[in-house]
Amino acid sequence: MNTELLAADKPADLNRAAALLQQGALVAVPTETVYGLAANAADPTAVAKIFQAKGRPADHPLIVHIPDLAMLEQFAIKIPATAYQLAAAFWPGPLTLLLHKAPDVSPVVTGGLETIGIRMPAHPALLALLQQARLAVAAPSANPYKKLSPTRASQVLHGMAGKVAAVLDGGPCQHGLESTIVDLTGEQIQILRSGPISATQLEQVLGCRVTTPLQHQVKVSGNVGAHYQPNTPVYLLAPEALLARLASSNARRAVLYYSALPVTNAAYQQQLPATAAGYAQQLYHQLFLADQQGVAEILVEQPPHSPGWEAVQDRLRRAAHHE
Ligand code: TXA
Ligand code: MG
């Protein structure tokens, strides 16, 4: 398959992307979090192609992206008031609501589960595309299974060229990490995946406690230990341990740090922003670049454990997970 590169700011290209989705083809699309691999959510044959292209197990559920609130009721039932409160506060935006699925939603979309993840994405080109095509799309991140999520169109092509009909280039992603997933189907409101919207922000809107269990039974592909991994092994280290490892031998290493570390003897080094949002926006991109330097290891300085850094900590822990 010859993958077409389309530009999100060209109306003719948006039309082309809409037509491809309507025909049941896969189109990688920009979102405000990471790039997604989209198929018409109402077409199970199209959705099945996503699993093929990603090499993702069929029982891993997908998030459905809707262009307007009216569509929520096409995909979910028994929608609690909390869902509407959160939608009013955070949609369009990086928050996925886990709800009970409507009976006619194909089990291909939900990996056979009775629940469904739904969000309204904030990227203007994607919203325009979905409104124009009058459809919702099922879309996981546009990376091969377990690899880094792409935050640039060029990175999508790196992993998916030849496997998708088109990539819609909408520029670098604003947040750089996947959406927060909040489960509204149980008695307790729980965050299943940390993301740009924090527990505190959710609590302020809901006026009740939102927990973030470290371990949960819910099937979230990001919930497997090793995930979001570059090909090069990643080591997450405190500053002293990182500098000691650099000094220990002349192995070719890449170093990603954020504080004023006196880094020497590194084959490649990059300083990331010291704010949580700035760091998150850069993280996958910098891991991707470091992965291309022909180094033996990527050493990452352990970032702060302070509030606001939960999603960064979560992704780094998984990137540095060694079996
Ligand atoms: O920001 C995002 O959420 C990006 C962009 C493209 O929207 N999407 C994304 O999709 O990260 P994906 O498939 O890479 O991760 C979605 C996560 C998976 O871990 C999946 O298991 C979980 O959402 N998920 C989806 N539906 C679910 C369900 N019904 N129950 C539990 N987890 C679900
Ligand atoms: Mg993913």
Side-chain angles (χ1 to χ4, degrees):
M1 189 188 303
N2 179 26
T3 300
E4 297 174 34
L5 185 58
L6 305 173
D9 56 0
K10 288 197 188 131
D13 283 14
L14 272 193
N15 288 342
R16 175 69 183 150
L20 285 168
L21 286 172
Q22 283 158 341
Q23 290 160 23
L26 297 185
V27 179
V29 293
T31 86
E32 78 281 28
T33 59
V34 299
Y35 274 75
L37 190 55
N40 179 356
D43 179 349
T45 312
V47 174
K49 293 179 187 167
I50 292 175
F51 294 89
Q52 185 83 29
K54 266 185 82 99
R56 178 175 178 146
D59 63 351
H60 284 239
L62 305 174
I63 293 173
V64 171
H65 299 65
I66 56 171
D68 55 62
L69 203 53
M71 267 201 199
L72 184 59
E73 283 146 35
Q74 273 178 32
F75 289 91
I77 52 169
K78 294 188 267 177
I79 303 170
T82 48
Y84 292 101
Q85 285 174 282
L86 292 176
F90 299 111
W91 281 2
L95 180 69
T96 296
L97 305 180
L98 202 68
L99 299 164
H100 297 282
K101 90 170 186 66
D104 49 356
V105 175
S106 166
V108 176
V109 173
T110 61
L113 298 175
E114 287 306 312
T115 55
I116 186 166
I118 304 179
R119 81 181 190 96
M120 190 191 296
H123 195 292
L126 176 56
L127 271 182
L129 168 63
L130 298 182
Q131 274 154 7
Q132 181 179 334
R134 289 170 201 273
L135 45 81
V137 289
S141 50
N143 50 291
Y145 184 54
K146 289 197 176 184
K147 296 298 177 190
L148 288 173
S149 304
T151 58
R152 306 277 192 285
S154 59
Q155 292 163 3
V156 177
L157 285 170
H158 187 89
M160 290 291 156
K163 297 182 180 171
V164 299
V167 178
L168 183 64
D169 186 350
C173 299
Q174 179 199 342
H175 291 292
L177 291 183
E178 298 85 349
S179 62
T180 304
I181 302 180
V182 61
D183 185 353
L184 300 180
T185 65
E187 271 171 30
Q188 281 264 352
I189 297 184
Q190 295 189 335
I191 291 184
L192 301 186
R193 181 177 69 186
S194 304
I197 310 280
S198 69
T200 313
Q201 285 175 284
L202 298 176
E203 285 172 346
Q204 275 164 1
V205 169
L206 296 173
C208 70
R209 187 91 212 288
V210 176
T211 58
T212 310
L214 263 186
Q215 219 87 49
H216 52 75
Q217 297 308 309
V218 186
K219 205 166 273 163
V220 181
S221 68
N223 199 31
V224 298
H227 206 89
Y228 312 115
Q229 297 204 328
N231 297 313
T232 315
V234 175
Y235 296 90
L236 189 56
L237 300 166
E240 316 75 60
L242 190 153
L243 295 176
R245 194 169 180 106
L246 273 180
S248 70
S249 77
N250 282 327
R252 279 180 60 80
R253 297 186 176 94
V255 178
L256 301 181
Y257 62 109
Y258 77 97
S259 70
L261 265 196
V263 174
T264 53
N265 205 26
Y268 175 83
Q269 65 188 74
Q270 272 301 323
Q271 185 166 16
L272 275 75
T275 61
Y279 191 105
Q281 208 252 340
Q282 287 290 312
L283 177 61
Y284 287 155
H285 180 54
Q286 293 300 342
L287 283 171
F288 199 93
L289 292 178
D291 203 23
Q292 293 178 317
Q293 305 302 319
V295 293
E297 305 175 342
I298 301 172
L299 310 187
V300 180
E301 179 189 6
Q302 176 70 65
H305 282 282
S306 32
W309 289 84
E310 294 85 358
V312 163
Q313 290 290 356
D314 171 71
R315 303 308 189 279
L316 276 175
R317 194 158 26 83
R318 297 178 201 280
H321 181 92
H322 306 282
E323 304 291 338

